[in-house]
Amino acid sequence: MKTIKSFIYAVGLIALMSVFFSSCKKEQPIVYTVTLDKASSEIMVGETFELTATISPAVEAEFVGFSVDNPAIASVEATENMAVVKGVSGGVATITATYKGGSATCAVTVITQNDYEKRWPETLVTTVGNFIKIQKDANGVYKMGSESGPDNERPMHNVTFTKSYYMAEFEVTQKQWQSIMGSNPSVDKGDDLPVNNVSYSDVFAFIKKLNETTGREFRLPTEAEWEYAARGGEKSKGYIYSGGNDINAVAWYDDNEGVLPHSAINSGKAANELGLYNMSGNVMEWCSDKMRNYTSEPIVDPVGSVGSKYAVRGGGFDSYASGCTSTYRSWFASSSKFYNLGFRLVLSHPLDSELKN
């Protein structure tokens, strides 16, 4: 009888222990792992990138929390398991994603425009010619306009650029145009002559196709960018024409030509302080923006927007000297086409592969 009781007791004890251990096993917490799709990223001030988190094992309707250790460097806006990270100022910040004990981090390096531009080469070699770095004047001492020219050049005023850019050494040639568009609309034909007889709309189509072909960001200069470059940028010596006060040394215009354009690449005229050719004379050049009425107030990155006509600068081979100054302004409708009207390209920035270490 005693043996039976002992047996029953032992069986009951084993059952209780089994239930106990089974209960303990069920109560063990789940260990969650959080992973991010980026371990590090480099962005510029004002730029953003998306950061996506994954929870393992997966859970429904529950999401990670995002935080940043230095909000003065980078900001975070989260929606479910995705965050948009924006560069605020130069420096390094760490983004952390957490969920019930699991966490992952992403190191974010935010660089300023000035730091970025220090890595730009002085010249870019492209399929449509060489482009020269036009260093922005950080002090805002570039004075746009003239006090001695027509009313639309007045008053002179300070212009500040927030970004540098690249400008083509030469005007776009007919050969370059034909290689992209498959035809040549110019009145006076010649591979190395500047393409002419192209409207603003034609140029827009050319640039769109060129960008699709090359993966770059070619564009027309703004009127302010064009004048700053024509006047020699930070290296300006204050000349009347682009490259000098003797127009015959730097430009083909009415008094020394008057009939035909000259080669964009070998025009026989001197470059300006930056190494840009034919900014005065040869063919007039389209700009990207419309008219802007000058005021005496300083302005940052000016872009014209008045009316329906687009800015044209530089004068052509049949222009008077007064129309070839670096400050002379004129405007044409976007559909306008003339035998003495072409354009010059600008690049906003180099490719990543072209940056200096």
Side-chain angles (χ1 to χ4, degrees):
M1 188 70 175
K2 186 176 181 180
T3 302
I4 294 173
K5 288 182 178 180
S6 297
F7 175 75
I8 293 172
Y9 174 79
V11 171
L13 182 61
I14 291 170
L16 287 172
M17 291 178 66
S18 175
V19 171
F20 173 77
F21 284 117
S22 175
S23 175
C24 289
K25 184 177 181 181
K26 290 180 181 178
E27 292 176 0
Q28 289 293 319
I30 300 174
V31 177
Y32 290 98
T33 301
V34 177
T35 56
L36 291 171
D37 62 339
K38 297 180 181 67
S40 63
S41 185
E42 181 180 272
I43 58 173
M44 290 184 59
V45 172
E47 290 186 343
T48 62
F49 73 94
E50 293 183 353
L51 192 60
T52 302
T54 303
I55 305 171
S56 181
V59 293
E60 293 185 8
E62 292 189 47
F63 311 106
V64 301
F66 286 94
S67 62
V68 57
D69 67 341
N70 196 338
I73 301 297
S75 65
V76 178
E77 290 188 9
T79 303
E80 298 183 351
N81 285 338
M82 191 273 287
V84 176
V85 182
K86 182 176 182 178
V88 177
S89 63
V92 179
T94 300
I95 310 299
T96 303
T98 58
Y99 180 80
K100 293 185 178 181
S103 65
T105 61
C106 173
V108 181
T109 302
V110 182
I111 60 174
T112 65
Q113 182 69 26
N114 287 341
D115 290 335
Y116 176 47
E117 290 182 11
K118 289 177 182 177
R119 299 167 64 185
W120 289 13
E122 293 303 310
T123 303
L124 297 178
V125 179
T126 79
T127 56
V128 284
N130 295 342
F131 284 70
I132 296 172
K133 182 182 179 183
I134 312 299
Q135 176 64 46
K136 67 177 184 288
D137 190 333
N139 297 318
V141 297
Y142 159 48
K143 288 190 176 294
M144 188 174 182
S146 166
E147 296 297 352
S148 58
D151 288 345
N152 63 24
E153 297 179 16
R154 306 177 190 178
M156 292 186 73
H157 54 287
N158 277 8
V159 168
T160 302
F161 296 109
T162 57
K163 298 177 181 179
S164 301
Y165 54 98
Y166 287 85
M167 180 165 275
E169 185 178 11
F170 306 112
E171 299 144 335
V172 172
T173 67
Q174 295 176 28
K175 182 178 181 179
Q176 291 166 344
W177 179 280
Q178 185 151 356
S179 70
I180 298 298
M181 303 301 285
S183 60
N184 183 1
S186 303
V187 173
D188 301 300
K189 298 287 197 296
D191 282 353
D192 291 340
L193 294 180
V195 67
N196 57 76
N197 198 40
V198 287
S199 69
Y200 183 94
S201 301
D202 293 336
V203 173
F204 184 86
F206 170 85
I207 292 174
K208 183 176 183 293
K209 194 169 183 179
L210 178 63
N211 288 343
E212 292 171 351
T213 302
T214 63
R216 290 187 180 269
E217 293 182 25
F218 294 101
R219 59 181 176 84
L220 286 174
T222 65
E223 190 181 7
E225 288 173 334
W226 190 97
E227 183 174 319
Y228 179 63
R231 296 173 68 154
E234 283 196 318
K235 300 177 181 179
S236 177
K237 297 180 181 178
Y239 295 135
I240 298 172
Y241 309 101
S242 184
N245 290 327
D246 177 6
I247 188 172
N248 288 292
V250 299
W252 293 110
Y253 73 115
D254 182 66
D255 279 0
N256 62 19
E257 177 48 64
V259 179
L260 296 170
H262 284 250
S263 168
I265 299 172
N266 298 298
S267 71
K269 298 300 181 181
N272 76 352
E273 299 94 317
L274 295 171
L276 304 174
Y277 291 84
N278 299 313
M279 295 288 282
S280 288
N282 212 26
V283 291
M284 299 179 289
E285 300 179 10
W286 284 109
C287 293
S288 64
D289 50 346
K290 300 175 183 178
M291 182 179 180
R292 176 173 67 88
N293 295 316
Y294 289 173
T295 70
S296 59
E297 296 299 315
I299 189 168
V300 178
D301 295 331
V303 177
S305 60
V306 178
S308 60
K309 297 181 178 181
Y310 288 86
V312 171
R313 289 299 203 110
F317 59 84
D318 58 349
S319 298
Y320 295 128
S322 59
C324 296
T325 67
S326 297
T327 57
Y328 185 81
R329 311 175 74 197
S330 58
W331 299 269
F332 293 130
S334 62
S335 59
S336 297
K337 298 183 181 185
F338 300 110
Y339 60 88
N340 58 358
L341 176 58
F343 67 103
R344 183 184 307 259
L345 291 169
V346 158
L347 268 173
S348 297
H349 55 77
L351 299 174
D352 288 346
S353 60
E354 294 168 326
L355 296 175
K356 298 184 292 185
N357 295 326

